[in-house]
Amino acid sequence: WREAPMNGPISIIAVTGAADGQETRVREAQERMVVETLSEPGCLRYELNQSLDDPRVLFFTEMWASEDVWRAHMEGAAMQRFQASGAGRLLSDFTLFRAKRVAGGA
């Protein structure tokens, strides 16, 4: 079962856990992805954050103009280069949340 794409802006929180000893390599690959992704059509926000409690945990906070443009990003050049770099295999954990704003913000 797959939910129909949402209309309007969509927020994404993607939480990654680097395998032990791979924090630097994962973070470098993710930082490159941020630089590339910020210029993609429909990208309203794309930030990489690192946990203060566990440096292996890095997470993206994203906002896209629509679910369609986010899905295009997930299949686009920046994501393909990230996967081709092998960095995806250095993750011990990955969780993704799709969300819509229900209160607050600008």
Side-chain angles (χ1 to χ4, degrees):
W1 178 79
R2 183 176 159 195
E3 185 177 330
M6 192 185 107
N7 291 330
I10 183 172
S11 296
I12 304 292
I13 304 292
V15 182
T16 64
D20 287 337
Q22 300 301 324
E23 299 89 353
T24 300
R25 289 181 62 199
V26 168
R27 181 175 166 175
E28 289 170 353
Q30 290 175 325
E31 287 176 354
R32 283 191 298 276
M33 193 164 52
V34 169
V35 171
E36 294 180 48
T37 299
L38 284 170
S39 63
E40 289 183 17
C43 178
L44 306 175
R45 177 181 179 190
Y46 200 81
E47 299 173 354
L48 179 64
N49 304 271
Q50 188 168 28
S51 170
L52 296 174
D53 301 311
D54 183 347
R56 293 173 301 156
V57 176
L58 292 117
F59 59 95
F60 292 93
T61 54
E62 311 172 26
M63 182 168 283
W64 295 90
S66 70
E67 187 160 1
D68 288 341
V69 294
W70 169 69
R71 290 189 183 280
H73 156 72
M74 292 301 290
E75 307 222 351
M79 190 63 68
Q80 288 178 9
R81 277 190 285 279
F82 177 80
Q83 292 300 337
S85 77
R89 293 188 301 274
L90 303 177
L91 299 177
S92 63
D93 192 30
F94 177 80
T95 306
L96 186 135
F97 300 94
R98 295 169 38 245
K100 66 178 182 175
R101 184 180 310 173
V102 294

